[in-house]
Amino acid sequence: MKTHYYFSWFNDFFPEKLVKLLQEDVQDRKSLVMISADPSGYTGEQINFDDVSEWRWLNQANIIFDEYYFIDYRMQKEDARRFIQNASVIFLCGGYPVLQNDFLTEYELSDVIKNSNAVIMGASAGALNMAAKWLSLNNTDEVETSAIYDGIGFDQFAYESHSQRDYATFVQGYLFPLSEEIDVYAAEQESAVRVKDGKIEIMGPVYLISQSKIQKLVETL
C-alpha cells in the first residue's frame, strides 16, 4: 500500500480534516526523515526542528516519532541512504526545488526513496520533486526562461505549487506546453493531493491542466 501526499503550503498548520487522514495513514511512527530543499543552508552541527515549518505541522497534528533525521550536505551519503531505507515517513521539505533536485541526484537518493515503503510527503519544492515532472520558471527583467525537470516520479503527473500562484496565474498558460506532454496538477496555497494505491484525491483549491485545458477539481478529501 503506497501513500503519497503532495502539499502546497500551509501558512499555519494542517487543516483538521487533513490531520485526521494523516493520523489514519501514518501508523508506523518509528522514524521521520526530512530532506532539505536548501541543503547548504544550515551550518550548525544540529538542526533545530522548531525552525522547520513542516516539522511543526506534524507536531501540531500530534504525529510524533521516536526518531527524527534531517538530511542535507552535513550528513554523509551512506547515513542518508540508510536512514531513508528505515524511515516510517519521508518528508521532502519546501525551499528551492532545483537545489533539492541536485542534492537528490548527487546523493543518489531518488531510487532509495522510490523503493521505500514509507509514507511519502512533500511540501512546495518537495512536492514538485515527488512528481514525474515539474517546470522551473526563471524570471528576470530581461528574459524569462523555463526548464522542465524530472522528479522522483512516484505518480505519472506533473505538479506545480509555488506560493502566491493561483488560478489567475495558471490560466495565463505558462503550464500549457507541459500539459501537452503530461497532466499537471496545479495547487494553490492550503491544498493537498493524496495518492493512495493509485487513487488521486484532492483537498483545497487544485486545478487539473491537461492538453492546455484547465479545470478546477472537486474536493474529495
Side-chain angles (χ1 to χ4, degrees), residues 89-128:
V89 171
I90 299 168
F91 204 135
L92 287 91
C93 295
Y96 302 97
V98 175
L99 295 182
Q100 187 178 60
N101 193 278
D102 290 345
F103 178 63
L104 293 172
T105 300
E106 189 175 333
Y107 266 48
E108 300 175 332
L109 299 180
S110 293
D111 284 345
V112 185
I113 298 169
K114 198 167 184 178
N115 292 329
S116 169
N117 290 318
V119 174
I120 313 292
M121 304 177 189
S124 195
L128 266 63

Side-chain angles (χ1 to χ4, degrees), residues 2-221:
K2 300 283 188 180
T3 305
H4 312 140
Y5 280 93
Y6 299 78
F7 302 131
S8 55
W9 195 257
F10 298 96
N11 291 318
D12 295 311
F13 300 111
F14 286 141
E16 191 173 323
K17 57 184 174 181
L18 182 55
V19 169
K20 289 179 180 175
L21 290 169
L22 290 166
Q23 291 280 4
E24 292 170 14
D25 285 339
V26 182
Q27 294 294 320
D28 178 3
R29 301 189 187 176
K30 293 187 185 71
S31 71
L32 169 68
V33 172
M34 310 191 86
I35 301 175
S36 177
D38 186 11
S40 302
Y42 292 101
T43 54
E45 283 188 22
Q46 288 188 319
I47 185 77
N48 180 0
F49 280 98
D50 287 331
D51 294 336
V52 181
S53 298
E54 297 90 333
W55 180 86
R56 294 200 304 270
W57 299 340
L58 289 169
N59 200 51
Q60 179 75 13
N62 200 33
I63 300 175
I64 310 297
F65 296 84
D66 296 335
E67 300 173 350
Y68 297 89
Y69 302 99
F70 190 84
I71 294 178
D72 59 14
Y73 281 117
R74 294 172 300 174
M75 184 178 285
Q76 295 293 318
K77 182 197 289 189
E78 294 73 21
D79 290 336
R81 292 167 65 87
R82 178 165 51 84
F83 289 139
I84 287 169
Q85 285 170 339
N86 296 324
S88 309
V89 171
I90 299 168
F91 204 135
L92 287 91
C93 295
Y96 302 97
V98 175
L99 295 182
Q100 187 178 60
N101 193 278
D102 290 345
F103 178 63
L104 293 172
T105 300
E106 189 175 333
Y107 266 48
E108 300 175 332
L109 299 180
S110 293
D111 284 345
V112 185
I113 298 169
K114 198 167 184 178
N115 292 329
S116 169
N117 290 318
V119 174
I120 313 292
M121 304 177 189
S124 195
L128 266 63
N129 278 312
M130 283 173 60
K133 293 183 182 294
W134 55 274
L135 180 72
S136 172
L137 272 186
N138 205 352
N139 291 309
T140 67
D141 291 338
E142 298 84 26
V143 67
E144 179 183 277
T145 59
S146 63
I148 294 173
Y149 282 79
D150 289 327
I152 296 170
F154 287 106
D155 304 289
Q156 284 308 301
F157 56 73
Y159 184 80
E160 170 68 321
S161 170
H162 278 129
S163 66
Q164 311 311 319
R165 292 198 183 147
D166 56 15
Y167 178 77
T169 312
F170 301 143
V171 83
Q172 289 173 11
Y174 73 97
L175 292 164
F176 287 179
L178 180 57
S179 80
E180 294 290 334
E181 180 184 336
I182 189 171
D183 286 351
V184 182
Y185 286 82
E188 291 189 20
Q189 300 263 62
E190 308 288 327
S191 69
V193 176
R194 179 175 75 165
V195 185
K196 189 167 184 175
D197 298 331
K199 182 183 179 185
I200 299 172
E201 296 177 285
I202 305 297
M203 190 204 81
V206 179
Y207 307 90
L208 173 61
I209 307 174
S210 182
Q211 302 292 308
S212 298
K213 293 184 175 62
I214 184 168
Q215 66 178 101
K216 185 170 186 180
L217 296 172
V218 176
E219 287 197 58
T220 51
L221 287 175

